[in-house]
Amino acid sequence: MTMADTERVYTIPLGIVKCVPVYKRSNRAMAEIRNYLARHMKTPAEDVKIDPGLNQVIWRRGDMKPPRRVRVRAVKFEDGGVEAEFAGER
């Protein structure tokens, strides 16, 4: 990590996923995480890469019951790319 890289820890609320059909909730949670990080790190959503560990946390209880909130460590690189990983305890 160079000096120009930015690292932040966010607690992302996922209550909005309760508004979609029950079988689409974890998919919507992944989209909400990507959009939240794109908005807060000021980068396009396509440039946000989600770590497999964070993916497992969201999908651990299946498609119908994602967590209500998730703690994420996000690192923004000089080229504008963002990598997100799980920052809480499992």
Side-chain angles (χ1 to χ4, degrees):
M1 191 161 89
T2 64
M3 295 303 289
D5 295 344
T6 308
E7 181 175 344
R8 294 192 178 132
V9 177
Y10 294 107
T11 300
I12 303 176
L14 297 174
I16 191 72
V17 302
K18 299 294 183 181
C19 297
V20 298
V22 69
Y23 59 91
K24 293 182 179 179
R25 288 183 178 173
S26 288
N27 283 329
R28 178 64 183 264
M30 295 302 289
E32 287 297 324
I33 290 171
R34 190 177 304 276
N35 292 336
Y36 184 95
L37 291 174
R39 185 169 62 244
H40 287 270
M41 299 294 260
K42 296 176 177 52
T43 188
E46 311 73 67
D47 293 344
V48 177
K49 305 290 184 235
I50 296 178
D51 186 63
L54 178 57
N55 189 40
Q56 287 177 355
V57 169
I58 298 296
W59 286 88
R60 179 177 56 213
R61 291 168 37 185
D63 197 14
M64 300 182 183
K65 294 183 179 181
R68 296 287 291 200
R69 69 187 63 84
V70 67
R71 223 164 139 71
V72 174
R73 178 176 295 111
V75 179
K76 184 175 182 182
F77 298 103
E78 290 177 357
D79 62 354
V82 175
E83 287 186 2
E85 64 182 17
F86 184 62
E89 50 285 329
R90 291 188 184 217

